[in-house]
Amino acid sequence: AASTGRILVVGSANADTFLPVKRLPVEGENLTVPPGRTVEIDVPGGKGCNQAIAAAKLLRQGAGSVAFLGQFGNDGAATILRSALTDADVDVA
C-alpha cells in the first residue's frame, strides 16, 4: 500500500515583475519597454512558493499533502500569490 505524507514548506513568496527590454542596462542607465511589448506584472515566485507548488504537483496522485508557511502582504500581489498556491492544492491556512 502506498503511504501518504505531509510536506510543510517554510519560505518566501514574492511577486515577480518581468520587463521585456532589448538589452541589459549598464550601471546608472534607465531603459524603457519597447512599444507593443507586454509587461508581465506580479508573476508568482520566491523559493518557498515555487517549491510548494512543485511538491504539490508531484503529489497529485494522492500520495500526500503540501502546506506553505510564509508571510503575505495585504495587497494585489498577496492575492496573486495565495491564489497560485491554493490553485495548486497547497494549504495556506
Side-chain angles (χ1 to χ4, degrees):
S3 64
T4 60
R6 294 172 28 172
I7 297 173
L8 173 63
V9 178
V10 180
S12 63
N14 307 342
D16 298 332
T17 301
F18 294 93
L19 303 171
V21 294
K22 292 182 179 182
R23 59 180 174 76
L24 293 176
V26 296
E27 186 176 340
E29 180 184 27
N30 295 322
L31 296 178
T32 59
V33 175
R37 296 296 304 267
T38 302
V39 176
E40 291 188 48
I41 300 174
D42 298 333
V43 178
K47 286 183 181 180
C49 180
N50 293 341
Q51 290 170 351
I53 291 172
K57 287 180 180 180
L58 290 172
L59 296 178
R60 285 225 168 114
Q61 293 77 25
S65 63
V66 179
F68 174 78
L69 176 63
Q71 183 68 41
F72 293 103
N74 189 20
D75 58 5
T79 301
I80 290 169
L81 293 165
R82 275 194 191 94
S83 293
L85 288 161
T86 57
D87 289 350
D89 295 324
V90 175
D91 181 4
V92 295

